Amino acid sequence: MISAFKRTTIVTTITLLLCGLALQPAWSQMKKAASKVTSVKNIATPAEPWWQHAVFYEIYPLSYQDTNGDGSGDLKGITSKLDYLKTLGVDAIWLTPIYPSPLVDFGYDISDYIAIDPKYGTMADFDKLIAEAKKRDIRVIMDLVMNHTSDKHKWFIESSSSKKNPKRDWYVWKDGKTPGQPLNNWQSYFGHSAWQLDPKTNQYYYHKFYIQQPDLNWNNPRVKAAIFDAARFWLKHGVAGFRLDAVNTLYEDPDFTDEGIVKDKDGKPIINAYGDPTLDDTKTSNLPKLHEVLAGLRAVTDTFPGQRVLIGETYMPNVAELAKMYGPRNDELQLPMDTQIGFINKLDVATFRQKILEAETGLNGNLPLLVFDNHDNHRLDVRYGDGTHNEDIQRVLATLLFTTRGVALMYYGDEIGMKTSTPTRKEDVKDPIGVSGWPKEKGRDGERTPMQWDDSANAGFTTGTPWIRIPADYKTINAKAEVANFNSMLNWYKELITLRRTQPSLRDGNYVALNTTDNNVLSWLRQAPGKPAVVVACNFTAAPQNVSIDLTGVGLGGKSAKTLMKTPGSSDPASLTTIQLPAFGVYVGEVQ
Ligand code: NOJ
């Protein structure tokens, strides 16, 4: 089972019109957003780090915008979309890997850490992107893959050339247990044994991911020095920080003994999508030594001016483990991803309330980095949709992302409501796990399809042949159409981001859970000292719900509220005690 990123398919196997003049303020605001390109500056005070209130936006460069007609996105394409991103309200873009790579894992198999893959452009294109982004107050985050390299990286080519090669111990090499049998039962997240026999030297190398992604040996100080040097290279180029890939898997337990097999309630092994028993991951994930690396890298980034930031791909088992990723003195990651909340994958009020509470109380006061979507998991429609109200459900999720207390990380295309488009034929699959795992595991192509810019050929993504199939729904789901439609998902996102910036309580306020016994509607309050509080209520059900909010407990008893945002078509409440929410409806109001 993939615990580094929880593939939905695997988890599932295992697991109006305006009504009345009263709406005018909110709707006229939305209309403005739809018709005029506006952007609101983030009002960070100089003392606080920029990232604390930031909106991060993940870009899968292969799929964002092609400018040379080769069918794959490139850096110039991203640069050409910076105005769009600015208008949306993005503060920083995270680019998944753009280093030279054989692209077995679409860039997560790096063959040179200090260059740009010609597929994406040149170093000059990269510098231009940074400079143009800076003009717009947008920062650029690189993806740093520390766990493994490509097997085509010169380090591995040297390492595998002989047992005596000076780079031999840059990777994890072991003799087999017996001839033809690896040392232990450890498995790759991408299926089958994590050990690959190298016939030349008759030893096995360890790979937590694809065979073509040998794990680096982090017990070797030279590995650490080389990767930290690569980080310095990009920091000097002006990147604002890194998203650290698969950090949990940097170390393996030095005893190299078998991992436990996970069993179901009847004591039978749980079989994963690749037909292997699921292992408990205790020997190959989240080993304590990784914290030394994180603290070391943080010391490096902290020597650079401009508050560089470390984001972690941190699928942790619980909030206590997540808390550790910030470091004992807040000296490790500033922003480990909180996947506890965004990947609940079920609209369940009690679970959301509980997970938000845990983030509030269990992270030593640190901000959670909220994330609901990325390039490894099916998009929101599949993980949360009910097939009938998918758009409204997505509005709920976006509201959670931008109005609870936390830093927000979103995935390209979410803002226009792009849907998962999983291949229906094995021969179309690009992601190797989709080939090896077919039909149970169809891979990650469905969430990596090109950004849908407009309704022209290939969704305006490329003039060539797209590297991956473009979903047919681009004719209606596209950025151009949505800019013009004030009811669109795009305008919902813009409006939420604007509110988050302009309402002091949404920026800096405490989070207070409201109506905590209600299992249909999740309601909360954000309140900054001396500023108007903001109430949010989200209907998690397909049935209309009536909500009555009493703010006596927070010293605001009897107050009314002015509507800031609400689901298109829903009516304005006469008071906080009579909020009527349609199916999966949202209400956001400023307490007065
Ligand atoms: C996590 C990345 O997000 C995923 O796309 C990749 O396959 C693995 N790490 C291995 O690098």
Side-chain angles (χ1 to χ4, degrees), residues 4-5 58 60 94 96-97 105-109 143 145 147-148 189-190 209-210 213 243 245-246 313 315 374-376 431 444 448:
F5 47 92
E58 179 190 351
Y60 201 68
W94 146 34
T96 61
D105 194 15
F106 298 95
Y108 284 96
D109 46 328
D143 210 315
V145 184
N147 181 67
H148 48 265
Y189 283 142
F190 291 150
F209 295 89
Y210 286 121
Q213 291 171 302
R243 174 267 190 187
D245 183 66
E313 189 201 19
Y315 288 95
N374 61 32
H375 64 282
D376 290 324
D431 186 9
R444 298 164 289 180
R448 297 173 174 183

Side-chain angles (χ1 to χ4, degrees), residues 491-502:
N491 280 316
W492 185 260
Y493 271 69
K494 278 186 191 168
E495 191 78 355
L496 279 171
I497 295 172
T498 301
L499 266 191
R500 174 187 165 89
R501 289 184 165 173
T502 51

Side-chain angles (χ1 to χ4, degrees), residues 37 40 57 74 78 109 114 134 153 162 201 347 416 464 478 487 495 498 574:
V37 173
V40 180
Y57 181 96
D74 46 45
I78 298 171
D109 46 328
I114 51 171
K134 191 169 180 196
H153 195 294
S162 101
T201 58
L347 272 187
I416 56 168
N478 66 67
N487 271 352
E495 191 78 355
T498 301

Side-chain angles (χ1 to χ4, degrees), residues 338-582:
D338 185 336
T339 57
Q340 298 277 303
I341 296 174
F343 293 88
I344 292 172
N345 293 345
K346 187 171 177 233
L347 272 187
D348 177 72
V349 172
T351 312
F352 268 90
R353 190 179 286 129
Q354 175 62 23
K355 293 289 179 190
I356 293 172
L357 178 71
E358 287 176 8
E360 283 293 308
T361 53
L363 297 178
N364 304 316
N366 286 302
L367 284 167
L369 173 60
L370 301 173
V371 50
F372 280 80
D373 208 1
N374 61 32
H375 64 282
D376 290 324
N377 291 279
H378 289 337
R379 284 186 181 269
L380 302 172
D381 60 322
V382 169
R383 289 184 293 116
Y384 288 98
D386 69 352
T388 309
H389 304 94
N390 286 6
E391 283 197 13
D392 291 319
I393 290 171
Q394 197 183 326
R395 284 174 208 269
V396 168
L397 299 172
T399 307
L400 282 157
L401 175 64
F402 295 117
T403 71
T404 53
R405 200 184 70 92
V407 180
L409 166 57
M410 57 182 286
Y411 185 46
Y412 83 93
D414 277 350
E415 72 275 21
I416 56 168
M418 273 175 60
K419 297 187 170 62
T420 315
S421 180
T422 302
T424 49
R425 303 179 323 168
K426 188 175 175 185
E427 55 268 39
D428 293 333
V429 175
K430 307 279 179 202
D431 186 9
I433 54 167
V435 177
S436 59
W438 192 272
K440 273 194 181 163
E441 169 58 71
K442 294 184 174 158
R444 298 164 289 180
D445 294 4
E447 47 268 25
R448 297 173 174 183
T449 57
M451 177 68 183
Q452 296 169 198
W453 292 109
D454 57 42
D455 66 359
S456 68
N458 295 325
F461 162 69
T462 180
T463 53
T465 306
W467 75 277
I468 194 168
R469 221 174 25 94
I470 297 190
D473 63 11
Y474 77 85
K475 288 276 173 197
T476 48
I477 300 178
N478 66 67
K480 189 174 174 198
E482 296 195 24
V483 166
N485 170 8
F486 70 84
N487 271 352
S488 66
M489 190 66 73
L490 182 58
N491 280 316
W492 185 260
Y493 271 69
K494 278 186 191 168
E495 191 78 355
L496 279 171
I497 295 172
T498 301
L499 266 191
R500 174 187 165 89
R501 289 184 165 173
T502 51
Q503 285 284 330
S505 284
L506 286 183
R507 260 178 62 82
D508 298 313
N510 290 338
Y511 167 92
V512 183
L514 301 171
N515 294 11
T516 52
T517 53
D518 187 333
N519 282 331
N520 297 316
V521 178
L522 188 71
S523 309
W524 64 94
L525 178 95
R526 300 286 313 280
Q527 190 175 28
K531 303 290 180 194
V534 174
V535 164
V536 185
C538 295
N539 181 359
F540 274 40
T541 74
Q545 301 288 340
N546 294 324
V547 190
S548 173
I549 287 176
D550 178 1
L551 296 177
T552 312
V554 289
L556 297 169
K559 295 271 188 192
S560 58
K562 176 181 88 180
T563 300
L564 297 171
M565 280 182 78
K566 57 190 190 57
T567 300
S570 59
S571 57
D572 239 8
S575 87
L576 282 173
T577 55
T578 57
I579 303 174
Q580 291 176 329
L581 294 172

